[in-house]
Amino acid sequence: MTQVFDYFSQVDLPTPTLPEAEVRALVADVFGVEVDVQGLGSQQDQNLRLFRSGHPEPLGVLKISNPAFSEAEVDLQDRAAAVVAERSPQLRVPRLVEGPRGPMSAWWQTSQGRLHARVIENVAGRTLMGSGYLSPAVVAGMGELAAAVSRALEDFTHPATARVLQWDLRHASRVVDVLLPSEPDPAVRELVQEAASAAREALAPVAGHLPVQAGHFDVTDDNVLRREGAAVPDAVIDFGDVTASWRVAEIAVTVSSVLHHDGASPESALPAVRAFDARRHLLDAEVSALWPLVVLRGAVLVLSGRAQVRLDEGNDYASAALDRELRVLQQAVSVPLAVLTAMTREALGRRQADGPAGPAWSGEPLLPPPVRTVQLDASTESPLNDAGAWREAGTLDAAALAALDAGADVVGLPAWVPVLAAAGEPLPTGPDRTPTGTTVWLARATPLTPGGGRVARARGSLTWTAGGGAVTVSGALGEDAGDDGAPGGAHVLPARTPLLVQRHPAGSTPPPARVTPRLARAWRAVVGDPGAALGLPSSPPPSSPSPAGGAEDDVLARRHRVLAEVQEHYYGAPPRIERGWREHLVTVDGRVLLDMVNNVASVGHAHPRVVEAGTRQMHLLNTNSRFHYRAITDYAERLAATLPDELDTVFFVNSGSEATDLAIRLAMASTGRRDVVAMREAYHGWTYASDAVSTSIQDNPNALETRPDWVHTVDAANSYRGRHRGQDAWRYAPEAVAVIDELAASGRPPAGLICETFFGNAGGVALPEGYLEQVYAAVRRHGGIAVADEVQVGFGRLGGWFWGFEQQGVLPDVVAVAKSIGAGHPLGAVITRREIADRYRTQGYFFSSTGGSPVSAAIGSAVLDVIQTEHLQENARVVGAHLKERLTELGDRHDLVGTVHGSGLYLGVEFVRDRETLEPATEETAAICDRLLELGVVMQPTGDHLNVLKVKPPLCLSQQSADAFADALDHVLTTGW
Ligand code: PMP
C-alpha cells in the first residue's frame, strides 16, 4: 500500500510508467527473454504480465518497483516469499522466476532513471476483491493462510525488517495522530478519535507482552486468491508490507479485511480467528490486543485512504476503497471492545475474566424482598407465544399484568433468555432477541431501598452505582419517580409498567436492551446479570453461540448418537427449530425464518383449526380403523368428493411410501401381473415396492443398477434437461409407449404404470403436453392400470388444478396421496375405483392400524376445511404466479438462473453454469441455500444434480413473504454465496 506522508522511512514517489516497447527491450536485454507484455493495474509499482513471445501461458508478472523502495526492501519481499513457499508448500505464493540467466531480478537503466525490475510467478486465480459475501468457510480459509504465513516467517530475519512502515500496527496510534488533524470531515474525525482512544486504552496494558516476528501483514481479501471454481483461497500475493511487527497483527489485518463485506459483522470474522488460533496459538495478551488492533487498522485505513484521495483526486482505486474502509471501522466499533474480546475468548474456548456469568453485584439489593415473584417465560417454546401470539406487541405486558392481578408482587422477564414474544413483523432478519437486562413489573410503586451507592438520574433512567458495578433502571419512570427531592431521598419506581433493569460496569453506559443470541454470552461476561441487584435469582448464562448462528446445545450431538446416520437432517449446522406459525419457523433462540420448502405443512404451521380438530379428537377417541366411528367415514367421503366420480373408494395409510406401495400392490392384485413401468429419476418412497420404482440417483446413487426385474423404466420426461428438450419433448410419450408395447410383446404386459403427474422430484417440471394421455392409453390397451403419485403435487399446490393429473387432462385409475393432506400429521390415502379396490381381496384383507384413525381422519377433514375456507388453492395460484414472475425476472440479471419451473406454489429455480450446456451448478446451489439460511430463509436443493431450489412453501404464503424470498435470493445472487 502507498504511504501517504513522509513521517516514516519510505517516501511516496510516482509509480514508474515505462512504455511497453521499452519494457520488452529491457527484458530481452537484461533477462535474455523475448516477451509480449500486458499492462496490469498498478498502485505503487508498475506491474505488467509477461508472456514468452507467442506463448499463451504467462511467464510471470514484471514488477518495476517504485523508486521509493530500497534494494534491501525489494530483497526482503522476495526472500520472504521464497521462505513461505518453501515452508508451506501447500500455499501458493509468487516467487522470483528463474530465467536463462538466473533469477530475473535486476536494476535497469531506464528512460525514467534507475529502476529495480523483477519477474515473479503469476499466481492464477481470483482475489476476494470488492464487497461480496464471504462464507464462513472462506473466512476460515483466510485465517488459515494468515496462520501459514505467520508460521513460515516465525524465525525469518532480514535487515530490512527494521524499516518503519505506516502499515505496521505498532505505529498505528502515531499514524492516527499524524493524520487526524488534516481530516476535514468532523464526523469522521470524531469517529476515528473515539475509536482510536478506546483501542489505545485497551491495548496499553497488553502491548508490552505481544510477541514480535516477521510477517506478511497484508493477508487481506485483495491479496488472497482462489483457484477457478474453488471457494476457499489457497494463495497469498503481494509481499510489499513484509516487516517485523506484533505477531497478532497478522490476523488483525486479515480480520479487518473481512468486515466490509456484504452482511459481515464482527462475529463473521470469528472463523478466521479460530482457524488462525488452531495453527498459531494466540496468547492471552494477543487475544486482548486483537480487536483494538482491528480498530486501529480501520482508523489508519480510513484516514490514509481519505488523505490519499485528497492528494491524488484521479486515483479511482483509492476513492472506491473509501466506503469499504469506513465500513471496516464502523463494524469494528459497532460492539464495545470488551465485548468483542469476550466474544473471541468464548469462540476460542478461553476463560473470561469474571467467568461466564460476568461480574457479581457487590451492593445491597435495590428492591425490598418480594413475597411473591412470578418469572415470565417468553422464549420460543413458551405457551405464551402459541397461535401466533408472539407477533402481537402487547403479549408480554398483558401476561405480566395478569400475573400481578393474580397476586404477584413482582413479575420478572429474566435477562439473557431469548425472547420471542412481541417479535412483531416476521420478515426474515437476524433480530436481536436476547435481553441484556431483566424486565420487572411491580405490583405497587416501590421505593428503592437505600443502602450504599450513588444514584444518578437521566431522562427515563436511573443509574445506581455501588462498588465497581452499576445498575440502570429504564422505562416510564414518571416525573417524580426518581426525584432526588423525594422524602428521605428515596427513589420510587412506578407500578404496573415494564422497567428494564441492566447491570453494567461502573462508569460505562448500559448495554443495548437486546443483543443477538450469538453475542449474548460475550455481553453477559462483560456486564453481568441484574438478578442479585434486584434480589431476584440470576439467570443461567446463555448457551454458547453455534457456528450456524444459533445457540449451541447438545441436542444435535444426541441426535447423531441415537438416530441412524442415514436419517439425515437439513444443513451441516442446522438451527434448532421449535415452533412454526403460518409460513414461518422459529429457532430456539427466537430467530424467525421464512419456510419456503415445507409442503408437509401445507396449510401453514400450527394452524389453529387443525390443532383444535386433533386435540378435540384426542380427548374423545383415538384407536385403530377397525372400530366403527364417524370421522373416517366423513373424511373418506370428503376426500373422494375432491376427485372425479369414478374414483370413489378410499384406503387409508400413514405415509406417501405406504400409499404408493399400496397402489403398486393394487395394480398387481387387480391384474394378476407383476411387471410395473415407472419413470426414471422419480422418487416414490422407501418401502420395498415404492423404493423399487424409485430411480432418483439423489436418493440412491445405485438406483438404476439395482432395480428388481419387475421394474421397467421410461425416460424422465424432463423438457428442460432430459434427452429431448424444448420443442422435442413430445418424443418422450411415443418412446414410453414403445417401452410398454415391447414389454407386452415380450409376454410381460405390465400391471401398471406409476409416475408423478407433474415432475416434482425434478423441481416441479410440467410433463410434456399430452404425455400422460398417451402413456395411460398404452398401459390400458394392454390391460394395465394407471397410478398417479400425487404425494407432492396434489391437493391444490399447483394453483390452477387441485390434482396434478387435471393439468394433463387425464383420469388415473389409482391416486396415491399423503404429506400435505395431513399437514404434518402422518396420513396417506389411496383412492381408486370400486372394482379395483375389490380385487385386493385376492391378497387377503387390508388393515393399517392407524391409517385413518379417528385423530388422523379429524385432522384430514380439518385440512380440507382450511384449504376450502381460506381459498388456499387460489392463494397458491395468485401468489405462486407472482413469485414465478419475480423468480423468472431474476434470470434476466443472473446468469446462474437457467430456468424457473413449476406452477402455483410448486416452483423450481434451476441453477446452471452454462445456459447452453446446462452444466448443473450443484456446489453453488448448496452454498446459496446456506447463505439463504443466514438471511433467514429455509430452502433446499432438489433434482438428480441437486441444482434446483425446491420452492414449495405452505400454501398460505403471503405475497409479502414471496417478495421477501425473491429479494433474499436476488441479494444472494448479487452479492455472492
Ligand atoms: N412420492 C413422492 C412423489 C414423494 O415426493 C414422496 C416423499 N418425498 C413419497 C412418495 C413418499 O412419501 P413419504 O415420505 O410420506 O413416505
Side-chain angles (χ1 to χ4, degrees), residues 204-566:
V206 292
H209 306 285
L210 299 177
V212 172
Q213 69 157 70
H216 181 285
F217 299 119
D218 206 12
V219 183
T220 59
D221 50 353
D222 283 353
N223 288 335
V224 298
L225 300 179
R226 45 188 172 190
R227 291 174 206 260
E228 198 53 47
V232 177
D234 68 339
V236 177
I237 57 169
D238 191 352
F239 282 64
D241 289 349
V242 167
T243 189
S245 182
W246 286 321
R247 181 173 71 183
V248 62
E250 194 77 77
I251 184 65
V253 168
T254 306
V255 162
S256 67
S257 83
V258 169
L259 296 182
H260 67 82
H261 283 266
D262 189 76
S265 58
E267 300 104 286
S268 316
L270 285 178
V273 182
R274 259 194 234 106
F276 188 89
D277 181 64
R279 286 155 193 80
R280 198 98 189 93
H281 181 76
L282 290 165
L283 304 177
D284 202 58
E286 292 180 304
V287 176
S288 302
L290 174 64
W291 285 98
L293 291 178
V294 173
V295 168
L296 287 170
R297 165 84 175 182
V300 171
L301 284 174
V302 166
L303 292 181
S304 42
R306 294 167 63 86
Q308 178 76 38
V309 170
R310 288 197 300 277
L311 282 180
D312 182 4
E313 278 193 1
N315 189 333
D316 294 342
Y317 180 92
S319 39
L322 287 188
D323 282 349
R324 295 200 292 268
E325 290 160 350
L326 197 57
R327 272 212 298 282
V328 170
L329 183 59
Q330 284 164 338
Q331 279 299 331
V333 300
S334 63
V335 178
L337 281 170
V339 177
L340 293 179
T341 302
M343 168 188 86
T344 309
R345 286 189 195 290
E346 170 74 31
L348 301 182
R350 306 291 168 79
R351 234 182 57 77
Q352 303 286 7
D354 292 304
W361 175 249
S362 57
E364 295 287 311
L366 302 180
L367 295 178
V371 181
R372 264 202 66 200
T373 309
V374 170
Q375 293 269 56
L376 283 187
D377 175 8
S379 68
T380 297
E381 289 165 86
S382 166
L384 200 62
N385 294 316
D386 285 355
W390 55 271
R391 293 183 57 176
E392 310 300 328
T395 296
L396 266 181
D397 218 33
L401 295 182
L404 291 180
D405 291 341
D409 297 319
V410 177
V411 177
L413 177 69
W416 309 115
V417 181
V419 170
L420 173 63
E425 270 310 301
L427 282 180
T429 51
D432 299 347
R433 287 275 189 251
T434 307
T436 56
T438 296
T439 303
V440 290
W441 288 258
L442 304 171
R444 289 164 289 282
T446 308
L448 288 174
T449 49
R454 228 166 357 91
V455 177
R457 175 116 202 261
R459 227 184 142 72
S461 76
L462 278 173
T463 296
W464 189 286
T465 307
V471 167
T472 294
V473 183
S474 41
L477 291 178
E479 269 311 296
D480 57 353
D483 193 341
D484 282 336
H491 300 278
V492 181
L493 297 181
R496 300 176 70 82
T497 180
L499 301 170
L500 177 66
V501 185
Q502 295 168 295
R503 168 86 177 81
H504 53 104
S508 67
T509 49
R514 300 268 181 100
V515 295
T516 62
R518 294 186 70 168
L519 282 180
R521 272 177 80 89
W523 271 105
R524 168 140 190 190
V526 172
V527 300
D529 182 84
L534 284 169
L536 297 175
S538 291
S539 319
S543 51
S544 315
S546 78
E552 201 158 41
D553 51 37
D554 69 342
V555 179
L556 186 64
R558 283 168 44 215
R559 174 183 173 129
H560 289 161
R561 274 200 297 276
V562 72
L563 263 66
E565 198 191 325
V566 288

Side-chain angles (χ1 to χ4, degrees), residues 655-657 660 683-686 756 789 791-792 819:
S655 70
S657 301
T660 53
Y683 180 77
H684 296 291
W686 67 268
E756 284 193 273
D789 182 341
V791 170
Q792 293 249 26
K819 282 205 210 237

Side-chain angles (χ1 to χ4, degrees), residues 415-706:
W416 309 115
V417 181
V419 170
L420 173 63
E425 270 310 301
L427 282 180
T429 51
D432 299 347
R433 287 275 189 251
T434 307
T436 56
T438 296
T439 303
V440 290
W441 288 258
L442 304 171
R444 289 164 289 282
T446 308
L448 288 174
T449 49
R454 228 166 357 91
V455 177
R457 175 116 202 261
R459 227 184 142 72
S461 76
L462 278 173
T463 296
W464 189 286
T465 307
V471 167
T472 294
V473 183
S474 41
L477 291 178
E479 269 311 296
D480 57 353
D483 193 341
D484 282 336
H491 300 278
V492 181
L493 297 181
R496 300 176 70 82
T497 180
L499 301 170
L500 177 66
V501 185
Q502 295 168 295
R503 168 86 177 81
H504 53 104
S508 67
T509 49
R514 300 268 181 100
V515 295
T516 62
R518 294 186 70 168
L519 282 180
R521 272 177 80 89
W523 271 105
R524 168 140 190 190
V526 172
V527 300
D529 182 84
L534 284 169
L536 297 175
S538 291
S539 319
S543 51
S544 315
S546 78
E552 201 158 41
D553 51 37
D554 69 342
V555 179
L556 186 64
R558 283 168 44 215
R559 174 183 173 129
H560 289 161
R561 274 200 297 276
V562 72
L563 263 66
E565 198 191 325
V566 288
Q567 181 148 18
E568 296 177 356
H569 53 73
Y570 290 147
Y571 301 113
R576 182 148 72 84
I577 290 166
E578 299 291 358
R579 181 180 285 282
W581 177 247
R582 296 184 62 84
E583 68 265 41
H584 291 98
L585 291 168
V586 186
T587 68
V588 69
D589 43 27
R591 187 158 183 240
V592 180
L593 306 171
L594 174 57
D595 179 6
M596 290 300 293
V597 85
N598 217 321
N599 56 346
V600 168
S602 52
V603 296
H605 292 279
H607 196 290
R609 198 153 174 175
V610 177
V611 173
E612 168 58 26
T615 314
R616 178 73 199 129
Q617 189 60 51
M618 276 202 199
H619 280 297
L620 285 174
L621 172 74
N622 200 17
T623 182
N624 79 52
S625 59
R626 273 186 288 198
F627 286 94
H628 174 50
Y629 49 89
R630 182 193 182 96
I632 195 168
T633 310
D634 283 353
Y635 180 46
E637 281 176 359
R638 292 191 61 184
L639 193 56
T642 65
L643 286 153
D645 291 345
E646 295 87 334
L647 297 171
D648 56 3
T649 306
V650 182
F651 294 77
F652 282 119
V653 290
N654 306 281
S655 70
S657 301
E658 285 179 72
T660 53
D661 198 302
L662 175 59
I664 292 165
R665 293 189 53 177
L666 274 172
M668 290 176 171
S670 65
T671 58
R673 301 172 181 172
R674 61 187 291 273
D675 290 280
V676 173
V677 178
M679 187 181 284
R680 284 200 278 280
E681 293 180 25
Y683 180 77
H684 296 291
W686 67 268
T687 61
Y688 184 75
S690 62
D691 173 66
V693 292
S694 299
T695 48
S696 147
I697 51 167
Q698 208 31 67
D699 297 290
N700 173 7
N702 306 317
L704 269 179
E705 297 82 66
T706 56

